[in-house]
C-alpha cells in the first residue's frame, strides 16, 4: 500500500468506490468518469506503478487482471464487443500510477482508439 496512491486508498476503503469484484489478488470498481456503458477498472491489490514498471514477477498478476475483466464482461453480457486497455505513460493519458486495466464495452467501439 502506498499512502499517496489514489487506488491504494480506494483499496483500503479510505476513498469510496463502487465495487464490482474482489478477491485475494484483484479489485474492480466503476470508473468515476465512464467512457462507455461499462467502464470498469481492474487493479491488482499489489501496488504496481504501471505496465512499464511491471517486472517478470508481476506477469501472472497482469494476466490475472485480464481474466477478471473477461469474467466481468461475461457477467455484464457484453461479450459481443469489449476492450481491455492499459494507458501507459503521459502521451497515452495515464493519470493514476497504480496499474489499472480499463474494461470498456456496451457500445460500438471505434478502431483505432483516439
Ligand atoms: P488513466 O487515465 O490513468 O488510464 O485512468 C485513470 C482512470 O481513473 C480514469 O478513467 C478516471 O476517470 C479514473 N478515476 C480517477 N479518479 C478516480 C476516483 O477517485 N474514483 C474512481 N472510481 N475512478 C477514478
Ligand atoms: Zn497504489
Amino acid at each position: 500500500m502506498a499512502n499517496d496512491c489514489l487506488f491504494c486508498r480506494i483499496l483500503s476503503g479510505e476513498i469510496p468506490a463502487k465495487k464490482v469484484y474482489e478477491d485475494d489478488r484483484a479489485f474492480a470498481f466503476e470508473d468515476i468518469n465512464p467512457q462507455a456503458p461499462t467502464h470498469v477498472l481492474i487493479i491488482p491489490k499489489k501496488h504496481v506503478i504501471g505496465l512499464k514498471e511491471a517486472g517478470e514477477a508481476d506477469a501472472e498478476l497482469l494476466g490475472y487482471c485480464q481474466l477478471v475483466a473477461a469474467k466481468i464482461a461475461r457477467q455484464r453480457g457484453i461479450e459481443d464487443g469489449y476492450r481491455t486497455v492499459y494507458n501507459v505513460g503521459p502521451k497515452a493519458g495515464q493519470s493514476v500510477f497504480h496499474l489499472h486495466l480499463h474494461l470498456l464495452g456496451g457500445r460500438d467501439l471505434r478502431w483505432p482508439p483516439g
Side-chain angles (χ1 to χ4, degrees):
M1 153 121 195
N3 288 327
D4 57 348
C5 170
L6 175 64
F7 288 174
C8 281
R9 292 168 76 190
I10 284 178
L11 272 175
S12 74
E14 188 187 333
I15 294 176
K18 280 191 200 161
K19 181 165 94 173
V20 171
Y21 176 88
E22 181 172 17
D23 64 24
D24 57 331
R25 283 177 282 177
F27 187 82
F29 55 100
E30 302 284 353
D31 195 292
I32 205 168
N33 182 23
Q35 301 301 311
T38 285
H39 189 175
V40 172
L41 302 173
I42 299 98
I43 66 174
K45 289 192 165 175
K46 177 185 172 189
H47 178 82
V48 176
I49 296 172
L51 187 61
K52 64 187 159 70
E53 290 82 8
E56 283 189 24
D58 301 314
E60 203 268 347
L61 203 48
L62 292 172
Y64 190 68
C65 286
Q66 296 280 0
L67 288 176
V68 169
K71 185 182 292 194
I72 295 167
R74 199 173 305 127
Q75 285 168 352
R76 297 245 172 143
I78 57 165
E79 286 186 301
D80 56 339
Y82 64 86
R83 198 168 283 161
T84 61
V85 179
Y86 285 118
N87 290 325
V88 183
K91 279 190 174 176
Q94 185 180 1
S95 60
V96 178
F97 294 88
H98 179 129
L99 190 80
H100 51 283
L101 183 64
H102 294 259
L103 168 64
L104 294 151
R107 65 166 168 80
D108 289 344
L109 298 170
R110 287 180 300 278
W111 188 260

